[in-house]
Amino acid sequence: MFLSERMKSIKPSPTLAMNAKALAMRAAGIDVISFGVGEPDFDTARHIREEAVRAMEEGFTRYTAVGGIPELKDAIIEKFRSDNSLSYERDEVMVSCGGKHVLYNLAQALLNPGDEVIIPAPYWVSYPPVVILAGADPVIVETEEIEDFKLSPESLERAVTPQTKLLILNSPSNPTGSVYTESELEGLAQVILKHHIWVLSDEIYEKLIFDDRPFSSIAQVSDEVKSRTVVLNGLSKTYAMTGWRIGYGAGPREIIAGMAKIQSQSTSNPNSIAQKAAVAALKGPQDSIRAMVRAFDERRKYLVQRLNVMTGVHCNVPGGAFYGFPNVSYYFNATTEGTTIKGSADLCEYLLAKARVALVPGIAFGDDDFIRFSYATGLETIKEGLDRIEDALGKLV
Ligand SMILES: *Cc1c(COP(=O)(O)O)cnc(C)c1O
């Protein structure tokens, strides 16, 4: 084979693969309802789009500084100051081509072969492959549904070895919607400091949070914890800007410099026009976020309530993000037309074929008992999709 061993060690993103399958069915004229996509169904706000047009018209179309234009770095620094009471200097923040790219740069800048990275499951699909691509080993630590899928200090402590280099935390979580409280983060921080572990805190869903729950970042626990943390955030989810590819990281300057070096030899700067738009997003009116959260909240309540009255389905109430993550293991070993549903992937195949509903199997997130619903789609569509699912599940025996 002429392809690299590295390439063979990972699979393509299962969420994007599911989306592709649903799109192909739709192109073939089948009315598929998709709960698969991990992006807001809203348009980027007008003032942000207008800023991009202006940037283009004014000729802001050349290379920029690798780690982002000073104006955007300053807007990011101001965001951390006002939202999170965290202070960073310009050389402690950098802009990348989406939040995913922040993760990639960090893994390349920090990890050596043999290093272990603790990843609580259920996890976002990209964490293990990005760790593997850096030559390091993902150490998956399971969490419990009854503990709202949160990592406890005890189970973190048990997973630590002399090889442990990094912990990846994600709050609010994709796929579970769980939100860590300040005191839970303090408990984890103690273990982190004791063992001198680095932390990647993925805060991409920071603003998509419900019931007036406060958002806490582990970097806020103390200056000492902040000095061991790289925060990942970005514009994709908060401002419905997934296609613009702007994310950012903040952390210790040596690490940020390493990440910038990796970026300088791979993508160079993120898109210049999108950077200008990002400044407008961060500094402009924030009411589009509130409107989006209100719409997500209504759908969240409806989805969870409907799921929890379905036979054999149980769904925790997600505190943030735009996903429901119900336990559907009741249906495993059920049969349909002679075939047995063995796990979440089989169940998703069945629901796609019989109910024409696209979902992502929990196994993609490291827990086979669940399936993930993205409710980034209109309420009427959610209703219709749930009706179809309820009907199809009722046919399993
Ligand atoms: C969507 C997402 C990201 C980053 O997405 P980008 O589009 O690359 O900014 C990061 N982490 C999680 C958990 C996500 O769901």
Side-chain angles (χ1 to χ4, degrees), residues 98-100 124 127 170 174 202 204-205 232 236-237 245 323:
K100 191 182 273 185
W124 184 43
Y127 299 144
N170 176 212
N174 174 5
D202 182 343
I204 199 98
Y205 294 101
L232 178 165
S236 289
K237 311 293 161 58
R245 311 310 301 133
Y323 309 102

mmCIF file of all heavy atoms in Angstrom, residues 98-100 124 127 170 174 202 204-205 232 236-237 245 323, ligand 1:
data_model
loop_
_atom_site.group_PDB
_atom_site.id
_atom_site.type_symbol
_atom_site.label_atom_id
_atom_site.label_comp_id
_atom_site.label_asym_id
_atom_site.label_seq_id
_atom_site.Cartn_x
_atom_site.Cartn_y
_atom_site.Cartn_z
ATOM 1 N N GLY A 98 -11.010 27.222 12.615
ATOM 2 C CA GLY A 98 -12.036 26.487 13.356
ATOM 3 C C GLY A 98 -11.471 25.964 14.674
ATOM 4 O O GLY A 98 -10.251 25.842 14.848
ATOM 5 N N GLY A 99 -12.373 25.640 15.577
ATOM 6 C CA GLY A 99 -11.971 25.097 16.877
ATOM 7 C C GLY A 99 -11.246 23.766 16.725
ATOM 8 O O GLY A 99 -10.325 23.444 17.479
ATOM 9 N N LYS A 100 -11.645 22.999 15.741
ATOM 10 C CA LYS A 100 -11.009 21.698 15.510
ATOM 11 C C LYS A 100 -9.523 21.852 15.232
ATOM 12 O O LYS A 100 -8.698 21.051 15.646
ATOM 13 C CB LYS A 100 -11.718 21.006 14.330
ATOM 14 C CG LYS A 100 -11.332 19.556 14.150
ATOM 15 C CD LYS A 100 -12.031 18.942 12.944
ATOM 16 C CE LYS A 100 -13.387 18.380 13.291
ATOM 17 N NZ LYS A 100 -14.022 17.671 12.159
ATOM 18 N N TRP A 124 -16.459 13.945 22.131
ATOM 19 C CA TRP A 124 -16.600 14.450 20.751
ATOM 20 C C TRP A 124 -15.734 13.581 19.841
ATOM 21 O O TRP A 124 -14.602 13.236 20.175
ATOM 22 C CB TRP A 124 -16.148 15.908 20.686
ATOM 23 C CG TRP A 124 -16.333 16.542 19.334
ATOM 24 C CD1 TRP A 124 -17.425 16.432 18.515
ATOM 25 C CD2 TRP A 124 -15.408 17.398 18.661
ATOM 26 N NE1 TRP A 124 -17.229 17.181 17.379
ATOM 27 C CE2 TRP A 124 -16.003 17.774 17.442
ATOM 28 C CE3 TRP A 124 -14.134 17.893 18.962
ATOM 29 C CZ2 TRP A 124 -15.378 18.615 16.521
ATOM 30 C CZ3 TRP A 124 -13.519 18.735 18.050
ATOM 31 C CH2 TRP A 124 -14.138 19.098 16.846
ATOM 32 N N TYR A 127 -11.703 13.896 19.144
ATOM 33 C CA TYR A 127 -10.611 13.845 20.123
ATOM 34 C C TYR A 127 -9.672 12.649 19.920
ATOM 35 O O TYR A 127 -8.452 12.839 19.790
ATOM 36 C CB TYR A 127 -11.130 13.861 21.566
ATOM 37 C CG TYR A 127 -11.919 15.089 21.968
ATOM 38 C CD1 TYR A 127 -13.012 14.982 22.834
ATOM 39 C CD2 TYR A 127 -11.581 16.356 21.515
ATOM 40 C CE1 TYR A 127 -13.747 16.097 23.226
ATOM 41 C CE2 TYR A 127 -12.322 17.478 21.905
ATOM 42 C CZ TYR A 127 -13.400 17.335 22.763
ATOM 43 O OH TYR A 127 -14.122 18.437 23.147
ATOM 44 N N ASN A 170 -14.810 18.899 28.015
ATOM 45 C CA ASN A 170 -15.721 19.573 27.098
ATOM 46 C C ASN A 170 -17.028 19.893 27.822
ATOM 47 O O ASN A 170 -17.791 19.001 28.145
ATOM 48 C CB ASN A 170 -15.979 18.650 25.887
ATOM 49 C CG ASN A 170 -16.995 19.183 24.898
ATOM 50 O OD1 ASN A 170 -17.715 18.412 24.270
ATOM 51 N ND2 ASN A 170 -17.072 20.478 24.747
ATOM 52 N N ASN A 174 -20.642 17.999 23.811
ATOM 53 C CA ASN A 174 -21.147 17.308 22.628
ATOM 54 C C ASN A 174 -20.634 15.875 22.786
ATOM 55 O O ASN A 174 -19.406 15.701 22.789
ATOM 56 C CB ASN A 174 -20.575 17.961 21.369
ATOM 57 C CG ASN A 174 -20.923 17.212 20.104
ATOM 58 O OD1 ASN A 174 -21.671 16.246 20.124
ATOM 59 N ND2 ASN A 174 -20.361 17.660 18.988
ATOM 60 N N ASP A 202 -12.484 22.483 26.116
ATOM 61 C CA ASP A 202 -13.232 22.785 24.896
ATOM 62 C C ASP A 202 -14.545 23.464 25.297
ATOM 63 O O ASP A 202 -15.451 22.830 25.821
ATOM 64 C CB ASP A 202 -13.482 21.481 24.122
ATOM 65 C CG ASP A 202 -14.204 21.711 22.806
ATOM 66 O OD1 ASP A 202 -14.798 22.787 22.614
ATOM 67 O OD2 ASP A 202 -14.191 20.776 21.964
ATOM 68 N N ILE A 204 -16.542 25.381 23.253
ATOM 69 C CA ILE A 204 -17.180 25.869 22.033
ATOM 70 C C ILE A 204 -18.690 26.123 22.223
ATOM 71 O O ILE A 204 -19.279 26.944 21.529
ATOM 72 C CB ILE A 204 -16.890 24.886 20.863
ATOM 73 C CG1 ILE A 204 -17.113 25.538 19.501
ATOM 74 C CG2 ILE A 204 -17.735 23.624 20.974
ATOM 75 C CD1 ILE A 204 -15.879 26.043 18.836
ATOM 76 N N TYR A 205 -19.324 25.418 23.190
ATOM 77 C CA TYR A 205 -20.766 25.617 23.449
ATOM 78 C C TYR A 205 -21.033 26.530 24.640
ATOM 79 O O TYR A 205 -22.138 26.534 25.187
ATOM 80 C CB TYR A 205 -21.459 24.260 23.658
ATOM 81 C CG TYR A 205 -21.455 23.403 22.429
ATOM 82 C CD1 TYR A 205 -20.542 22.364 22.284
ATOM 83 C CD2 TYR A 205 -22.342 23.638 21.377
ATOM 84 C CE1 TYR A 205 -20.507 21.584 21.139
ATOM 85 C CE2 TYR A 205 -22.317 22.867 20.229
ATOM 86 C CZ TYR A 205 -21.400 21.843 20.115
ATOM 87 O OH TYR A 205 -21.383 21.081 18.985
ATOM 88 N N LEU A 232 -10.166 26.156 24.325
ATOM 89 C CA LEU A 232 -10.561 26.133 22.915
ATOM 90 C C LEU A 232 -11.943 26.761 22.832
ATOM 91 O O LEU A 232 -12.846 26.391 23.581
ATOM 92 C CB LEU A 232 -10.601 24.681 22.425
ATOM 93 C CG LEU A 232 -11.039 24.352 20.992
ATOM 94 C CD1 LEU A 232 -10.628 22.905 20.659
ATOM 95 C CD2 LEU A 232 -12.520 24.496 20.727
ATOM 96 N N SER A 236 -18.026 29.135 15.476
ATOM 97 C CA SER A 236 -18.893 28.235 14.715
ATOM 98 C C SER A 236 -20.287 28.080 15.324
ATOM 99 O O SER A 236 -21.292 28.232 14.638
ATOM 100 C CB SER A 236 -18.264 26.843 14.611
ATOM 101 O OG SER A 236 -17.148 26.878 13.753
ATOM 102 N N LYS A 237 -20.343 27.754 16.599
ATOM 103 C CA LYS A 237 -21.621 27.428 17.217
ATOM 104 C C LYS A 237 -22.319 28.684 17.739
ATOM 105 O O LYS A 237 -23.492 28.906 17.477
ATOM 106 C CB LYS A 237 -21.414 26.412 18.349
ATOM 107 C CG LYS A 237 -20.566 25.193 17.965
ATOM 108 C CD LYS A 237 -21.226 24.287 16.949
ATOM 109 C CE LYS A 237 -20.273 23.350 16.214
ATOM 110 N NZ LYS A 237 -19.480 22.426 17.002
ATOM 111 N N ARG A 245 -14.997 29.020 9.440
ATOM 112 C CA ARG A 245 -13.769 28.419 9.961
ATOM 113 C C ARG A 245 -12.919 29.385 10.783
ATOM 114 O O ARG A 245 -11.760 29.667 10.455
ATOM 115 C CB ARG A 245 -12.906 27.796 8.821
ATOM 116 C CG ARG A 245 -13.622 26.881 7.844
ATOM 117 C CD ARG A 245 -14.464 25.811 8.508
ATOM 118 N NE ARG A 245 -13.738 24.907 9.381
ATOM 119 C CZ ARG A 245 -14.170 24.580 10.614
ATOM 120 N NH1 ARG A 245 -15.280 25.065 11.110
ATOM 121 N NH2 ARG A 245 -13.475 23.753 11.340
ATOM 122 N N TYR A 323 -27.869 19.025 21.638
ATOM 123 C CA TYR A 323 -27.988 17.587 21.435
ATOM 124 C C TYR A 323 -28.787 16.927 22.550
ATOM 125 O O TYR A 323 -28.724 17.346 23.702
ATOM 126 C CB TYR A 323 -26.597 16.943 21.402
ATOM 127 C CG TYR A 323 -25.648 17.614 20.442
ATOM 128 C CD1 TYR A 323 -24.667 18.489 20.897
ATOM 129 C CD2 TYR A 323 -25.762 17.393 19.062
ATOM 130 C CE1 TYR A 323 -23.809 19.123 20.024
ATOM 131 C CE2 TYR A 323 -24.903 18.037 18.180
ATOM 132 C CZ TYR A 323 -23.934 18.893 18.662
ATOM 133 O OH TYR A 323 -23.087 19.529 17.796
HETATM 134 C C1 LIG B 1 -18.269 21.864 16.671
HETATM 135 C C2 LIG B 1 -17.277 21.522 17.734
HETATM 136 C C3 LIG B 1 -15.969 22.043 17.754
HETATM 137 C C4 LIG B 1 -15.339 22.964 16.748
HETATM 138 O O1 LIG B 1 -15.905 23.161 15.584
HETATM 139 P P1 LIG B 1 -15.249 24.113 14.478
HETATM 140 O O2 LIG B 1 -16.301 24.187 13.449
HETATM 141 O O3 LIG B 1 -13.989 23.479 14.046
HETATM 142 O O4 LIG B 1 -15.002 25.438 15.140
HETATM 143 C C5 LIG B 1 -15.139 21.725 18.804
HETATM 144 N N1 LIG B 1 -15.552 20.915 19.779
HETATM 145 C C6 LIG B 1 -16.777 20.399 19.805
HETATM 146 C C7 LIG B 1 -17.164 19.536 20.936
HETATM 147 C C8 LIG B 1 -17.685 20.663 18.781
HETATM 148 O O5 LIG B 1 -18.897 20.101 18.792
#
